[in-house]
């Protein structure tokens, strides 16, 4: 887990042509309200030839704005188109948030997960908010992910790839464009980068200025994450100091401290044997960011041509995924994503047709490059056992290389008696169990897990060893969208996954010893 952070810690563009002069951003940049009051000189986003990630496959030539010729779902309708265009030109002139080289490194590591040589841990907020943007919340979520990574690494005895749903996960798809309360009908809340969650007419009007604030918050979040990842906080010697106070005296906290003590003993043995523990590999950690590619005008504004390869990268995040509601083969989101070279995820429910999945993979990864595609399944435990085998077989028969990941959250959302959305911990764990069972049955690799979770002590998902009941939901229900696992529940799930990975590892080792064929 402890390996050097890839790329520079500077958040500015590598060349002036990508974002103007080079400046170092402060650790906690202010989040002002920007209002563009004059016409800016346009930053032209011209049509360009398709990147080498999208060769001719019967598709029309790709360009940065070719998605505009397709039907786009889930995009907000802004009342002032001129203001939106002005804001997008401003964002297009800003430095990239991440760099192409970092995204390529992540793709290489995901290629290992596709063949069972690494495991993806992807987690973070359902939707980031402006109100909860502070260093403590960022640190606590990062800290829980570090803990989970240690637990998984110890059980799997393989590298864990840690990717946050952070520094850009604002926009949310909605099943209904409108929301009705007490007979009042208003546009749905679509995330803080689009409109406000307060149920009043003014808050629900899409505001382009929110895109600039979302950009600045993403930069500030990633800047702090980089500092944590490379500044000593993530050092392996601090493993016993990562426990959160409210987890410390719990069953999961005790299990973690027991594991941390074993790691400390191993480090002590290394030091006594003359092996250095001051190596950068032991003091830093790789950490990448990801979010759903939903707000296409914003994503286009942050897409840059990489000066070293000539390929196009969406520099709003290292990894992006296309959601269940926007993965139409002939849709705008797929059109945009097929031309950028970031590693991509595809959210897949029980509604996905196996042949359609294979076709979608071919569109997004025509060269069948390992690490390019991660299929994130979300369908509930019972559907997982019935549907996932057919998807795995279709992908295998097409000769496609993908990383299979389980999202056990979205298929298990229910409404509590009090009216709040929640997710039963037992259902989440059952879906993960089904995910591993199916891959064992099919001879394929369970490549990772994708969770909506937080480092805060929230009460949003029911169950777990520190039992959260329906009656507890109102006490600390802070989510702006869907319910998240709290730190204790996240750690408990990590231990369950770690045990499953350990058993898989031991079984593979036994098969090697007995001469049986291993996956």
């Amino acid at each position: 887990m402890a390996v050097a952070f890839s790329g520079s810690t500077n958040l500015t563009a590598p060349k002036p042509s990508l974002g103007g002069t080079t400046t170092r951003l402060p650790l906690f940049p202010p989040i002002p309200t920007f209002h563009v009051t004059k016409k800016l000189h346009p930053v032209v986003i011209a049509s360009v030839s398709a990147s080498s990630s999208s060769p001719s496959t019967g598709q029309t030539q790709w360009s940065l704005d070719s998605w505009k010729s397709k039907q786009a779902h889930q995009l907000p309708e802004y009342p002032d188109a001129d203001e939106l265009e002005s804001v997008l030109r401003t964002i297009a002139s800003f430095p990239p948030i991440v760099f192409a080289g970092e995204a390529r490194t992540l793709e290489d590591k995901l290629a290992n997960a596709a063949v069972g040589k690494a495991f993806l841990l992807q987690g973070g907020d359902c939707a980031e908010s402006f109100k909860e943007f502070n260093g403590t919340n960022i640190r606590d979520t990062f800290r829980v992910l570090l803990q989970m990574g240690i637990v998984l690494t110890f059980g799997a005895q393989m590298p864990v790839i840690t990717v946050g749903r952070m520094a850009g996960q604002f926009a949310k798809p909605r099943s209904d464009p409108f929301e009705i309360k007490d007979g009042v009908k208003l546009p749905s809340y679509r995330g803080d980068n689009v409109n406000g969650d307060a149920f009043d007419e003014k808050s629900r009007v899409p505001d382009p200025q929110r895109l600039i604030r979302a950009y600045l918050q993403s930069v500030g979040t990633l800047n702090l994450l980089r500092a944590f990842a490379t500044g000593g906080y993530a050092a392996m010697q601090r493993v016993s100091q990562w426990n959160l106070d409210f987890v410390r005296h719990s069953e999961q906290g005790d299990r973690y401290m027991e594991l941390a003590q074993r790691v400390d003993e191993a480090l002590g043995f290394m030091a006594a044997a003359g092996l250095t523990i001051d190596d950068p590999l032991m003091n830093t950690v790789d950490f990448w960011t990801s979010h759903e590619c939903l707000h296409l005008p914003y994503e286009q504004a942050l897409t840059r041509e990489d000066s070293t390869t000539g390929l196009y990268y969406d520099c709003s995040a290292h990894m992006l995924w296309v959601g269940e509601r926007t993965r139409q083969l002939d849709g705008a989101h797929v059109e945009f994503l097929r031309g950028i070279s970031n590693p991509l995820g595809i959210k897949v429910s029980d509604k996905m047709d196996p042949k359609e999945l294979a076709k979608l993979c071919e569109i997004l990864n025509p060269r069948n490059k390992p690490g390019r595609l991660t299929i994130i399944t979300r369908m509930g435990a019972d559907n997982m056992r019935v549907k996932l085998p057919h998807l795995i077989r279709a992908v295998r028969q097409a000769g496609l290389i993908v990383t299979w990941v389980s999202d056990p959250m979205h298929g298990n959302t229910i409404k509590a008696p009090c009216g709040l959305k929640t997710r039963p911990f037992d259902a989440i764990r059952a879906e993960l169990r089904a995910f591993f069972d199916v891959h064992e049955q099919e001879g394929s690799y369970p490549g990772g897990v994708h969770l909506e979770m937080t480092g805060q002590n929230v009460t949003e998902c029911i169950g777990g060893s520190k039992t959260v009941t329906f009656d507890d939901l109102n006490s600390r229900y802070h989510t702006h969208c869907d319910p998240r696992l709290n730190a204790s529940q996240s750690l408990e799930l990590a231990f369950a996954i770690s045990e499953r990975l350990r058993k898989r590892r031991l079984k593979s080792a036994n098969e090697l010893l007995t001469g049986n064929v291993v996956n």
Side-chain angles (χ1 to χ4, degrees), residues 246-247 250 252-253 425 465-466 486-493:
F246 58 86
V247 177
S250 67
Q252 303 314 316
F425 184 83
S465 59
K466 290 180 68 173
N486 61 30
S488 177
Q489 292 166 331
S490 299
L491 206 50
E492 183 174 352
L493 206 59

Side-chain angles (χ1 to χ4, degrees), residues 292-491:
E292 180 174 357
C293 178
L294 197 60
H295 197 296
L296 291 177
Y298 176 82
E299 303 297 345
Q300 178 186 335
L302 282 170
T303 299
R304 307 283 190 266
E305 182 178 7
D306 177 35
S307 59
T308 62
T309 64
L311 304 178
Y312 281 83
Y313 286 84
D314 184 343
C315 295
S316 66
H318 300 108
M319 177 182 183
L320 298 106
W321 70 84
V322 62
E324 173 74 8
R325 298 181 178 93
T326 54
R327 56 170 173 75
Q328 298 81 12
L329 297 180
D330 58 352
H333 290 80
V334 170
E335 171 63 21
F336 175 77
L337 288 170
R338 77 179 178 93
I340 63 170
S341 297
N342 305 62
L344 304 176
I346 304 172
K347 284 290 190 82
V348 171
S349 76
D350 58 301
K351 300 181 182 68
M352 172 62 89
D353 177 77
K355 292 181 180 179
E356 183 180 351
L357 176 59
K359 179 61 177 176
L360 180 55
C361 291
E362 290 168 353
I363 292 172
L364 293 176
N365 190 20
R367 286 188 170 81
N368 202 20
K369 186 177 183 184
R372 162 75 167 170
L373 288 186
T374 297
I375 298 178
I376 307 167
T377 57
R378 38 156 293 184
M379 54 185 69
D382 292 339
N383 285 327
M384 181 74 73
R385 295 185 185 278
V386 175
K387 301 288 186 178
L388 182 57
H390 299 288
L391 298 177
I392 293 172
R393 293 166 196 168
V395 168
R396 177 185 289 140
Q397 288 168 7
L400 303 173
I401 303 170
V402 303
T403 303
W404 291 99
V405 168
S406 171
D407 168 3
M409 309 295 294
H410 286 87
N412 295 298
T413 306
I414 63 174
K415 182 171 284 190
C418 62
L420 293 173
K421 289 192 293 184
T422 188
R423 289 162 172 161
F425 184 83
D426 287 346
I428 293 169
R429 187 165 180 169
E431 179 162 351
L432 275 170
R433 189 180 300 116
F435 175 75
F436 278 93
D437 286 347
V438 169
H439 281 289
E440 184 172 346
Q441 164 196 315
E442 295 296 321
S444 47
Y445 299 104
V449 63
H450 181 115
L451 303 172
E452 290 186 344
M453 40 79 67
T454 176
Q456 300 174 57
N457 189 20
V458 299
T459 53
E460 297 170 3
C461 293
I462 58 172
S465 59
K466 290 180 68 173
T467 307
V468 177
T469 67
F470 285 127
D471 293 335
D472 296 325
L473 291 178
N474 278 308
S475 62
R476 293 185 301 278
Y477 196 95
H478 302 316
T479 183
H480 286 255
C481 195
D482 291 332
R484 304 161 294 176
L485 297 168
N486 61 30
S488 177
Q489 292 166 331
S490 299
L491 206 50

